Amino acid sequence: MTVESHTLASFPGLATLPADALASIAALTFEERHRADALLFNEGDAPGDLYWIVRGHVQLTQRFEGRGTTAVLTLSDGELLGWSALLRRPRVASARALTETVLLRLDASALLELCEQDPRVGYRVMAIAFEEVADRLHATRLQLLDVFGSR
Amino acid sequence: MSARFLPRESLPALVAALRDGRRLLGPRVRDGAITFGELEHVEDLPIGVGDEQSPGRYRLRARADERAFGYAVGPTSLKETLFPPRETLFRAERRADGKVGFVAVVPKPEATAVLGARACELAAIGVQDRVFVQGAASEPRYRARRDALQLVVAVQCTSPAATCFCGDAGTGPRVYGDAADLIATEIDAGLVLEARTEEGAQLLDRLPTRAVADDERVEAERDLDAATTKTHTGRLAIEGLPERLFAALDHARWDEVAARCLACGNCTSVCPTCFCSHAEEAGATAGALEGRSERERVWESCFSSEHGAMHGANPRATTKDRYRQWLTHKLGSWVAQLGTSGCVGCGRCTTWCPAGIDLVEEARALGDGQVSAVALPDAPPPCETPRDEDLVPRAAEVLAITAETSDVVTLHVRDHGVAAEPGQFLQLSLPTIGEAPISVSGVSRAEGFVDVELTIRGVGATTRALTALEAGMELGVRGPYGRGWPLAALEGAPVVIVAGGVGLAPLRGAIRALVEAPDRFPDVRLFVGARTPEDLLYPREMITWLERSHVKLTVTVDHASPGWRGHVGVVTRLLRRSAIPEGARALVCGPEIMMRFTSDALVAAGVTHDRQWLTMERHMKCAVGFCGRCQMGPHLVCRDGPVFRRDELALLGREGF
């Protein structure tokens, strides 16, 4: 079952969209609940859907041959999960719910089609995804700089 | 008081009167320069010797007359007398059982008189007084030498050099006020003398003087007027110069001057006001544990790569950074720190610069621009009742040691000093090894003593030795020093605390205060970032914080270990996703880069700069504003910080400060 427009409007980046645009995104958005430890997607999976985390913690992990599976990032309330869906690329990390988690799942193929048809939606969705990716890039740099390490 | 005249042939009487039970310092020719030294006879004075100075050049020359004070200034000033280039602060001993002892070394200088001080030199003593005796702390060694300076006869300068600009600096060539006991102006026939103090008047009474003839008065005034005109070069406008220099931090001229500067430190050595110093353990005789050493203070220059370096890295990495630091400090932030310019216009830095860099020319070119967006704070007024700062540690006993992580321990120390406030720091030392500033991470007061917790990461020789201490051993402690967290300013408001790595340690005292007082601090949100789960400090204590309903705690690590189910990611991301309540105030501590990005994230979350406090790390060597090592633009971090409100830190994130 798809969600109501007002559910989407609670996400900051979407609140400014006109009602009809929100409604068309809502029409391709589904709410999902996952128990703790549920695997949401796996590194290397074929291109999937885009998620928004309503509530809960999701851990992204990467396989590191010889070192096991390494957690690289934790995502939480209000954050975008699975941005690679917008590029129609295979998953670059695995996602697992750490807690009971409520997600909004956006049908990525349908969303991309909507983005093409309605530039208001297209611009907004890409702007949100771009901001998320930019933040993660910046945060990854700080992780790489090892700012808490001793010299 | 009316002026009197001392004929040239009676100069020996002046020398004798000044030497009456005192050491007399005055100008002498030595090694091809006129320098301050001990005078025994009139013949020791540079009679008939003048000087020629220009950028990078100093030469003595024969004068056509017999004047004894017919030169400008030499490379030395009275700085060497009051603040010697090397001196012992205390003797330290450590016994085989780990007990330590410290004995102050304070000189008992002999009574001293000075003949021939210039107006610029007297002004320079006034500037150094602001550093050593008029701050919150007073340096007893400097004070002893200062007090021993019983009689000063100034000779007003009538032979300024081409490099002189005391007129522009407002310090000379005439001597104003009671900076000297007796003021002399030399003319061919002798000295026109005027007493400015009671001691000066008594001295004058003992000299074979006579009334000043009109033509003698006219000659003296004419020469002084000429010197006044010459030293008002008009090349340097002092008014507003600090703001103009700080407006020019990105000026291309810094690169040009840095290309000429050899970073040799000559300018800071000859400067009569430069006060920066280093301190080191000298004469160490060390066994496995026991040993003796003396802590020596040595002049240091902001041009040295050592000065200000922390863990081997200098925040002012390049010659450009260091030249900019020197000039913006001397002519700019000195005013913000000490209420006076650091420049008295003597021109020594220009004369003795081997590259001939002209301070006035550089300051004029650089300070030509617009007034700054960098707000320079007002200096604290001179302290009426400075505490006596002897720089000597007291012994304190290690009660217990807690291993926190692989390279971090917490020392539990019983101290008999004043209890530190959260955010303040202590100077911890070990004989033969060294001293390090360490933030207090917990304090409990008791009758007659204070138990202090000090969380230390072993990164250098001193901190590694401190982390290797065992229960029952002792260490040296000085302090507490600095400004701590503004707990009163947080009352009633939601408080956000962001800690990164060992940055949690300086915050722990504040967190404990907040955790224990929900009525005053009803909403406390802690965000803690660490490198790995194993690097997290105080995990057991964190759990007790979480038990309090007014406290929320989120922990994140940059690199997860297998099995870690907590957050992974940099600590700034936690702020982004958490709704920060309206009116929140924030305390932040961690590496500077982490604090910068945290500060930005807080602003994005609605916490403006005037509601954020950060604790800065600079190399705090003396901890009381004497050594100049912990400067950050207008601030002495040891004195004005280490906790700053974010809007006080205009230079945060700017390279080279």
Side-chain angles (χ1 to χ4, degrees), chain A residues 74 79 132 135 143 146, chain B residues 457 531 558 568 576-577:
Chain A
T74 309
E79 291 189 299
E132 176 65 30
D135 279 352
Q143 278 174 288
D146 196 18
Chain B
R457 181 185 219 172
R531 187 166 182 252
D558 283 357
V568 181
R576 169 177 176 273
R577 69 175 66 138

Side-chain angles (χ1 to χ4, degrees), chain B residues 421-437:
Chain B
E421 300 296 329
Q424 288 192 301
F425 67 97
L426 295 174
Q427 288 284 4
L428 307 185
S429 61
L430 287 170
T432 77
I433 298 171
E435 191 173 52

Side-chain angles (χ1 to χ4, degrees), chain B residues 382-599:
Chain B
C383 185
E384 298 286 329
T385 51
R387 68 172 190 280
D388 192 31
E389 176 53 61
D390 59 11
L391 301 171
V392 181
R394 55 186 178 269
E397 188 189 352
V398 178
L399 302 176
I401 300 104
T402 309
E404 305 284 358
T405 72
S406 62
D407 60 352
V408 178
V409 306
T410 296
L411 298 182
H412 303 258
V413 171
R414 179 150 297 174
D415 179 29
H416 294 270
V418 176
E421 300 296 329
Q424 288 192 301
F425 67 97
L426 295 174
Q427 288 284 4
L428 307 185
S429 61
L430 287 170
T432 77
I433 298 171
E435 191 173 52
I438 302 291
S439 280
V440 168
S441 53
V443 166
S444 61
R445 296 167 173 82
E447 192 64 37
F449 60 85
V450 188
D451 283 346
V452 191
E453 287 167 90
L454 298 148
T455 300
I456 305 168
R457 181 185 219 172
V459 284
T462 304
T463 48
R464 273 198 295 270
L466 288 167
T467 58
L469 284 170
E470 294 168 18
M473 292 181 175
E474 290 180 339
L475 71 163
V477 173
R478 293 196 288 131
Y481 295 116
R483 183 169 63 163
W485 299 106
L487 296 184
L490 308 178
E491 279 198 43
V495 181
V496 173
I497 295 183
V498 189
V502 286
L504 182 58
L507 280 163
R508 185 167 68 168
I511 294 171
R512 284 178 176 170
L514 268 49
V515 166
E516 292 306 320
D519 48 328
R520 290 165 62 206
F521 308 104
D523 181 354
V524 179
R525 299 171 193 217
L526 306 175
F527 300 95
V528 176
R531 187 166 182 252
T532 70
E534 292 72 33
D535 290 311
L536 270 174
L537 297 181
Y538 321 133
R540 287 209 184 92
E541 185 167 346
M542 276 188 202
I543 291 165
T544 68
W545 298 341
L546 269 175
E547 289 163 0
R548 310 297 290 254
S549 60
H550 68 298
V551 180
K552 291 195 183 73
L553 167 66
T554 314
V555 172
T556 187
V557 297
D558 283 357
H559 307 285
S561 320
W564 171 253
R565 289 179 63 83
H567 280 279
V568 181
V570 292
V571 68
T572 48
R573 280 185 64 87
L574 298 179
L575 295 172
R576 169 177 176 273
R577 69 175 66 138
S578 309
I580 301 295
E582 189 129 346
R585 279 142 217 265
L587 310 182
V588 186
C589 183
E592 204 163 314
I593 181 173
M594 167 261 173
M595 292 200 291
R596 252 188 316 128
F597 289 114
T598 301
S599 175

